[in-house]
Amino acid sequence: AGAREDSRMDPDTDHEAATATGRCECGGVRYRLRGEMRPVVHCHCTPCRRITGHHMAATATARDDLHLEEDSTLVWYDRTPEVRYGFCGRCGSTLFWMASDKPSTIAIAGGALDQPTGLSTVLAIYTDEASDFHVLDATLESFRLDHPDDHPAWPGPEADA
């Protein structure tokens, strides 16, 4: 697939103040967000663990609120027909996660956001698949597998139809 997911992620000339900004390590992908971000969720599922090297710690926002300022090295890995991960093809930074059952939402790797984020971690999912060397945070609400569909921290700032 091409670098830009769709026209909603195209750079635009609207210079409304960003809620947050972020980028990959080498700067080949830079973005800004406008709008609400979901609190951070730790996903310990095997695919997220293998793709990130630990676990995915991600916020989420409405796809319409993500504006790519540079995407020359953005590559999408279609893990399944329903799930894809966006990363930098040059430095390897994990950046995004999207699922077809959440078409209006995009998850954003928390570590790629510029500091300070003002976010906090509220939830851990797929804890049964966490690495054996990782100590789970006992202060977080945790689910052995996926979270309930009606969990207040999911899917994020915009509920998909």
Side-chain angles (χ1 to χ4, degrees):
R4 287 203 174 92
E5 177 59 20
D6 62 28
S7 63
R8 293 177 291 189
M9 291 171 53
D10 280 343
D12 63 16
T13 57
D14 181 0
H15 295 289
E16 183 179 324
T19 304
T21 57
R23 67 180 186 91
C24 66
E25 174 59 24
C26 72
V29 181
R30 287 182 296 110
Y31 56 87
R32 61 187 162 84
L33 306 171
R34 290 186 308 215
E36 185 181 349
M37 292 185 291
R38 179 196 72 199
V40 174
V41 173
H42 289 179
C43 182
H44 295 275
C45 76
T46 299
C48 282
R49 184 171 45 81
R50 291 190 185 283
I51 285 170
T52 65
H54 191 32
H55 63 265
M56 176 72 84
T59 182
T61 194
R63 282 182 52 190
D64 288 343
D65 290 342
L66 174 68
H67 302 276
L68 295 170
E69 295 181 337
E70 175 63 50
D71 69 350
S72 62
T73 61
L74 179 59
V75 177
W76 290 95
Y77 166 59
D78 295 327
R79 187 182 161 277
T80 69
E82 294 80 30
V83 174
R84 58 194 340 220
Y85 292 84
F87 62 96
C88 176
R90 181 171 38 215
C91 69
S93 295
T94 300
L95 300 167
F96 307 116
W97 177 89
M98 293 191 318
S100 62
D101 66 337
K102 297 169 184 61
S104 300
T105 303
I106 186 165
I108 300 159
L113 291 167
D114 295 327
Q115 299 292 311
T117 67
L119 296 170
S120 60
T121 302
V122 297
L123 183 65
I125 58 175
Y126 291 98
T127 58
D128 274 4
E129 298 179 31
S131 298
D132 60 357
F133 60 81
H134 179 67
V135 178
L136 294 167
D137 184 342
T139 66
L140 293 179
E141 183 177 14
S142 297
F143 294 93
R144 296 177 59 196
L145 297 173
D146 206 352
H147 58 81
D149 287 337
D150 62 351
H151 192 279
W154 201 272
E158 176 184 295
D160 290 304

